């Protein structure tokens, strides 16, 4: 299992770095990444979307080593949200991490957790194959003229009193610009 996850993480982190992303942390089998920090990237929303597409393409290649339905095949969902966050070394004198916190980060995490639910209904009713990548409104506004996105509707996210609009990024049709 450790070797399997390490191979998976290696592929994902390579894609992340290819698009100017910063690895924040590994959380179990999840990856938290930052864009536009610590180095400025004026096209960070676009790069985050391209990184997600690259990661999912790499995951498809990774999974081709095993037959359909084999438990070694992995799945992932991605949530991307753009906005202000508090970024820096957070922790205590004996242990701290460079990370980001705030509502923008929480919404990205909630979007990721919604991919499973949205995906179940999406595949039967819409134009792209899956809803593996959900993006928030500010991300959508930054990439809508360059990447294929479709409205996922207003989603009720955990910890939010009002629903928020979200879009599906059709990652299979994103161009590979590095």
């Amino acid at each position: 299992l450790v070797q399997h996850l390490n191979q998976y993480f290696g592929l994902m982190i390579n894609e992340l770095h290819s698009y100017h992303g910063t690895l924040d942390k590994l959380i179990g089998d999840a990856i938290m990444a930052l864009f536009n920090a610590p180095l400025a990237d004026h096209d960070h929303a676009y790069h985050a979307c391209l990184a997600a597409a690259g990661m999912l393409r790499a995951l498809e290649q990774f999974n081709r080593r095993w037959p359909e339905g084999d438990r070694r095949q992995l799945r992932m969902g991605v949530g991307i949200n753009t906005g202000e966050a508090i970024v820096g070394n957070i922790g205590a004198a004996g242990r701290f991490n460079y990370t980001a916190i705030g509502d923008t980060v929480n919404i990205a995490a909630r979007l990721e957790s919604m991919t499973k639910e949205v995906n179940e209904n999406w595949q039967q009713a819409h134009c792209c194959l899956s809803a593996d990548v959900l993006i928030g409104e500010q991300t959508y506004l930054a990439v809508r003229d360059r990447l294929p996105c479709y409205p996922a509707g207003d989603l009720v996210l955990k910890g939010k009193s009002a629903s928020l609009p979200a879009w599906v990024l059709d990652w299979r049709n994103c161009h590979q610009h590095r």
Side-chain angles (χ1 to χ4, degrees):
L1 177 61
V2 170
Q3 181 181 15
H4 193 67
L5 282 174
N6 287 344
Q7 290 173 355
Y8 160 74
F9 282 135
L11 294 170
M12 298 305 109
I13 293 166
N14 285 343
E15 288 298 321
L16 174 66
H17 289 160
S18 293
Y19 293 98
H20 315 292
T22 299
L23 174 65
D24 181 318
K25 62 181 68 84
L26 303 175
I27 310 163
D29 62 352
I31 298 168
M32 181 175 167
L34 308 175
F35 288 80
N36 200 34
L39 301 175
D41 177 0
H42 298 291
D43 211 6
H44 53 86
Y46 182 66
H47 290 142
C49 290
L50 292 180
M55 292 166 80
L56 283 156
R57 279 189 210 95
L59 181 61
E60 276 189 332
Q61 288 293 104
F62 179 78
N63 283 335
R64 284 191 182 131
R65 296 187 267 179
W66 301 283
E68 187 67 35
D70 189 301
R71 68 183 195 171
R72 291 173 290 187
Q73 287 196 350
L74 302 177
R75 292 205 53 214
M76 72 177 199
V78 178
I80 302 172
N81 196 38
T82 302
E84 291 188 12
I86 298 166
V87 180
N89 291 320
I90 298 174
R95 174 89 166 132
F96 62 88
N97 288 340
Y98 183 81
T99 192
I101 59 172
D103 198 44
T104 298
V105 177
N106 293 340
I107 290 171
R110 300 303 185 258
L111 287 170
E112 182 278 326
S113 68
M114 288 293 293
T115 59
K116 289 178 187 173
E117 182 180 325
V118 172
N119 219 344
E120 289 175 10
N121 300 323
W122 188 266
Q123 292 177 0
Q124 298 172 357
H126 293 84
C127 51
C128 58
L129 293 175
S130 62
D132 299 318
V133 182
L134 291 175
I135 63 174
E137 186 169 23
Q138 293 304 311
T139 306
Y140 168 73
L141 293 173
V143 304
R144 66 182 173 193
D145 296 330
R146 298 183 282 170
L147 298 174
C149 302
Y150 304 99
D154 290 347
L155 302 179
V156 178
L157 303 178
K158 183 179 174 182
K160 291 292 189 188
S161 57
S163 60
L164 297 173
W167 285 261
V168 172
L169 174 69
D170 184 3
W171 63 269
R172 286 181 176 86
N173 290 308
C174 290
H175 302 294
Q176 293 182 325
H177 301 290
R178 291 194 192 252

